[in-house]
Amino acid sequence: VIGNPPYVQMHSMKEMSKAYKTLGYETYQSTGDLYALFYEKGEGILKTNGLVSFITGSAWMRANYGKSLRRFFINKTAVIELIDLSDCDVFDSATVLTNIMLYEKTTQKQPTKAIRFTKKDQEKLENLKEVFQNEHIEIDNFDENSWVIHDKSTFKIKRKVEQQGVKL
C-alpha cells in the first residue's frame, strides 16, 4: 500500500469523528488526525510481511495525541524507514510538517533506518534516495514517547551517553 491519506483533524469532523470512535480503532484520538486511522487500516488489510508507505503529517511523532499511534507501530509493525521532513517544503500548497514512513506487518523487529531533514536541507530532497542511503541512522527501538530523529553526529553522542550513563 502506498498513499497520501487526508490530513484532517478529528475534532473538525464533529459527528463523523464520533462515528469513527465507535468503530474500535486503537489509534483513534479525538485530538488526533484522520491519517492515524489510515495507518491502522493499512496494517489491517495487509497480509503478513505486507508493506505500507504513507506520506502524512509528522506531528504524531512528537505530540501527546500521537502516543496511541506510536504504540500501535511498536506493537503491530516493524518500522523499516522513517523520513522526518520537518519544516521542508514538500507540497506547493500545504504548510503541514510531513514524514514518509515504510512499515511492515510483522512482529519481527529490526532497526529502523531514519533521517531528519530541516529547512537547511531542502536542496537534499532532490537526491532523496542517495542522501537517505548515505546519511540515515539506525534506531534499534522506539518507545511510545516522542520519536525524535537526530543527525548522525548527534545520534552517536546520544547513544554513547546512554550506553555509559545511568538512566534516571
Side-chain angles (χ1 to χ4, degrees), residues 14-80:
K14 302 192 182 349
E15 293 304 315
M16 190 62 129
S17 177
K18 292 176 186 174
Y20 282 125
K21 183 177 182 177
T22 65
L23 296 176
Y25 283 96
E26 63 187 274
T27 59
Y28 174 87
Q29 293 291 315
S30 62
T31 56
D33 209 292
L34 181 61
Y35 59 70
L37 307 185
F38 277 74
Y39 277 118
E40 184 173 346
K41 187 67 169 178
E43 185 272 344
I45 63 175
L46 287 177
K47 294 181 180 179
T48 301
N49 299 7
L51 301 170
V52 168
S53 181
F54 282 159
I55 183 169
T56 67
S58 62
W60 66 268
M61 293 174 63
R62 293 168 284 278
N64 193 41
Y65 69 77
K67 193 171 195 173
S68 62
L69 183 56
R70 294 188 298 268
R71 186 180 312 120
F72 172 80
F73 289 133
I74 292 164
N75 294 330
K76 300 271 179 93
T77 74
V79 178
I80 298 168

Side-chain angles (χ1 to χ4, degrees), residues 107-152:
T107 55
Q108 301 295 314
K109 299 299 179 185
Q110 59 191 2
T112 300
K113 294 178 181 176
I115 193 167
R116 179 174 184 241
F117 293 96
T118 61
K119 192 70 139 181
K120 68 178 176 52
D121 301 313
Q122 185 74 37
E123 74 285 348
K124 290 183 177 182
L125 298 182
E126 293 179 23
N127 299 311
L128 181 61
K129 183 178 180 179
E130 181 181 324
V131 172
F132 181 81
Q133 288 175 339
N134 294 328
E135 298 183 23
H136 74 271
I137 60 172
E138 291 194 0
I139 300 174
D140 293 324
N141 57 6
F142 284 109
D143 60 28
E144 59 187 47
N145 296 316
S146 184
W147 290 12
V148 179
I149 301 168
H150 301 284
D151 59 57
K152 278 188 175 185

Side-chain angles (χ1 to χ4, degrees), residues 155-167:
F155 183 71
K156 285 179 184 177
I157 293 168
K158 181 180 180 284
R159 181 178 274 171
K160 188 174 183 179
V161 169
E162 288 173 343
Q163 289 172 345
Q164 293 178 2
V166 177
K167 206 171 199 175

